[in-house]
């Protein structure tokens, strides 16, 4: 690692943040590209977030990623927010500009779609059929915005809280049809995406019946611990192409890194292996 008194600085703001793989990810790129810079974990309690946010330019940071639970507060605090981040209702990337103002971005939608298409290029053909999205949290908002912008003709949004799902549909707009959890409709779908924490290590399993899902439909779980969730294993066993969640993490990081450090990084198989070893 190259680190001098002129090093460019970035990091990840979250609470907790010790589990984040972003420092390892960005550290890999910094090392491979020979950049004089550092990317550090920044554990910030919710009550301290506003003061830390405002201190970033004074501390010489080029920017930062924002993770749970700060994404919505970052949207409010940023001096300027890109339109996509406004639609999604959350900011996950901050860029400190030369005048000290802070620009808020959301790169999760790009990360989701790029992961899908890079893993299975043929996925593009399934996007002309209905997509089913499980969950209505922050990740679901980014996924659905990406699907709307990709021209998916129908998005079936399935969530236990109909009120939350209906608010998401109203905020994002587009061909979104809200469904109750116990009325999951997979018939004719080209894509199934799990954006909930169900199936993540330490969380309850995602118990849904896949029998009505077409066998050529792509199944994506944004969870990446474990890398192959029970949902993906069951889908794989019945012949569906599957996409794990690690690629979304890697691809969403590309834009922030290039803006902070001035070089365009690559998402490679070696990078995936390196991040998985953390």
């Amino acid at each position: 690692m190259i680190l001098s008194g002129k090093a460019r600085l970035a990091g990840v703001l979250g609470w907790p943040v010790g589990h984040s793989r972003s420092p390892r990810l960005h550290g890999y790129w910094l090392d491979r590209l020979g950049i004089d810079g550092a990317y550090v974990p920044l554990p910030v309690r919710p009550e301290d977030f506003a003061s830390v946010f405002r201190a970033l330019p004074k501390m010489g940071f080029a920017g930062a990623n924002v993770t749970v639970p700060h994404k919505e507060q970052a949207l409010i605090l940023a001096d300027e927010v890109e339109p996509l981040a406004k639609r999604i209702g959350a900011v996950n990337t901050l860029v400190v500009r030369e005048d000290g103002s802070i620009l808020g971005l959301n790169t999760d939608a790009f990360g989701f779609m790029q992961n899908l298409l890079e893993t299975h290029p043929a996925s593009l053909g399934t996007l002309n059929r209905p997509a089913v999205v499980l969950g209505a949290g922050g990740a679901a908002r980014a996924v659905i915005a990406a699907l709307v912008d990709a021209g998916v003709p129908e998005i079936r949004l399935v969530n236990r809280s109909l009120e939350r799902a209906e608010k998401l549909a109203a905020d994002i707009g587009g061909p979104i049809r809200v469904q109750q959890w116990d009325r999951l409709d997979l018939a004719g779908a080209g894509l199934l995406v799990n954006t909930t924490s169900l199936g993540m290590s330490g969380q309850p399993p995602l118990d849904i019946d896949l029998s009505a899902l077409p066998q050529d439909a792509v199944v994506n779980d944004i969870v990446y611990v474990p890398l192959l969730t029970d949902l993906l294993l069951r889908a794989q066993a019945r012949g569906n192409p599957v996409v794990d969640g690690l690629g979304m993490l890697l691809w969403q990081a590309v834009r922030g890194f290039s803006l902070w450090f001035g070089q365009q990084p690559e998402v490679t198989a070696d990078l995936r292996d390196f991040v998985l070893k953390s």
Side-chain angles (χ1 to χ4, degrees):
M1 180 175 69
I2 302 172
L3 200 60
S4 75
K6 297 180 179 179
R8 293 184 67 79
L9 301 176
V12 54
L13 299 155
W15 186 260
V17 79
H19 66 284
S20 175
R21 300 193 183 192
S22 291
R24 186 171 177 86
L25 160 60
H26 288 277
Y28 176 95
W29 282 333
L30 289 167
D31 183 60
R32 288 301 176 96
L33 294 170
I35 293 173
D36 183 8
Y39 183 102
V40 295
L42 299 167
V44 179
R45 296 178 183 274
E47 60 268 26
D48 297 327
F49 181 74
S51 58
V52 172
F53 181 99
R54 288 299 174 202
L56 289 173
K58 299 175 184 178
M59 294 168 61
F61 274 75
N65 285 126
V66 183
T67 189
V68 176
H70 303 316
K71 290 184 178 184
E72 293 181 0
Q73 195 173 2
L75 177 75
I76 296 169
L77 293 171
D79 297 296
E80 182 182 348
V81 178
E82 281 196 337
L84 179 60
K86 288 181 181 179
R87 281 176 61 210
I88 293 171
V91 159
N92 78 328
T93 302
L94 306 174
V95 178
V96 177
R97 298 185 288 200
E98 289 187 7
D99 62 359
S101 64
I102 297 178
L103 173 65
L105 317 171
N106 192 301
T107 62
D108 283 336
F110 170 79
F112 161 74
M113 188 59 69
Q114 198 67 20
N115 180 37
L116 188 67
L117 298 179
E118 289 287 335
T119 306
H120 287 292
S123 300
L124 191 61
T126 68
L127 296 179
N128 59 8
R129 288 155 47 191
V132 180
V133 178
L134 308 178
R141 298 178 75 92
V143 167
I144 289 175
L147 293 174
V148 169
D149 290 349
V152 173
E154 179 185 342
I155 300 167
R156 302 169 188 165
L157 174 56
V158 186
N159 195 55
R160 295 194 188 280
S161 167
L162 287 182
E163 182 179 357
R164 186 169 186 176
E166 287 166 353
K167 184 178 187 309
L168 185 158
D171 289 346
I172 301 292
I176 304 169
R177 183 158 63 91
V178 174
Q179 296 182 337
Q180 293 180 329
W181 192 268
D182 58 359
R183 295 184 180 179
L184 176 64
D185 179 12
L186 298 176
L191 175 68
L192 169 63
V193 186
N194 176 41
T195 72
T196 75
S197 61
L198 296 174
M200 184 186 295
S201 293
Q203 297 294 322
L206 174 61
D207 184 19
I208 60 170
D209 181 5
L210 297 178
S211 60
L213 184 69
Q215 284 191 311
D216 66 337
V218 177
V219 179
N220 177 206
D221 199 327
I222 71 165
V223 168
Y224 56 86
V225 181
L227 190 63
L228 284 176
T229 61
D230 179 66
L231 172 65
L232 295 185
L233 289 171
R234 289 192 293 121
Q236 199 171 56
R238 66 191 301 274
N240 290 92
V242 301
V243 179
D244 64 58
L246 181 61
M248 180 174 173
L249 172 71
L250 304 181
W251 280 105
Q252 65 79 30
V254 168
R255 187 178 180 199
F257 186 95
S258 64
L259 289 169
W260 304 324
F261 299 112
Q263 292 194 47
Q264 185 78 8
E266 294 183 350
V267 175
T268 62
D270 285 345
L271 173 65
R272 274 183 62 94
D273 292 342
F274 181 80
V275 172
L276 281 173
K277 289 176 183 176
S278 62

